Amino acid sequence: MIHVVLYSENRAAQCDVALESILSRLTATTAIHITVLYSASSDEFRHGYEILRNSYTSQEVNFVENQQTHPVSHRIQSTPTALLRAALT
């Protein structure tokens, strides 16, 4: 099984495209579990992620909202994980 962590910040539509791409390429050949760690700076952005979460209810995708005061990108800028985030955006 492949575990994927996808970071997203105020970009639910781009996150959706990334999820579609990952799922279309990997699920046919291997088991996959995706965790989307997202930040929303307003209720409008949060609503976009709620819509996205509802559209992936039947698949192995888990959405976790970042409750920290710093956005996700601030915490990962200097880590190797930032490369994954940059590749998926």
Side-chain angles (χ1 to χ4, degrees):
M1 175 173 277
I2 296 175
H3 296 274
V4 176
V5 178
L6 180 62
Y7 299 98
S8 183
E9 190 174 316
N10 293 334
R11 300 288 184 266
Q14 290 177 348
C15 183
D16 185 30
V17 171
L19 287 169
E20 287 179 9
S21 178
I22 292 167
L23 291 169
S24 70
R25 287 172 170 77
L26 295 179
T27 56
T29 58
T30 187
I32 186 169
H33 184 270
I34 302 172
T35 299
V36 177
L37 179 59
Y38 69 94
S39 294
S41 63
S42 71
D43 288 339
E44 289 82 11
F45 286 124
R46 191 168 289 106
H47 182 67
Y49 286 105
E50 289 172 10
I51 293 170
L52 191 60
R53 179 188 313 214
N54 291 335
S55 69
Y56 285 96
T57 56
S58 65
Q59 299 175 11
E60 293 294 325
V61 181
N62 182 36
F63 288 82
V64 178
E65 184 173 6
N66 175 31
Q67 299 293 330
Q68 304 280 327
T69 56
H70 297 292
V72 174
S73 61
H74 175 76
R75 294 198 325 255
I76 66 168
Q77 278 182 338
S78 61
T79 67
T81 311
L83 297 175
L84 173 63
R85 181 176 181 266
L88 294 175
T89 56

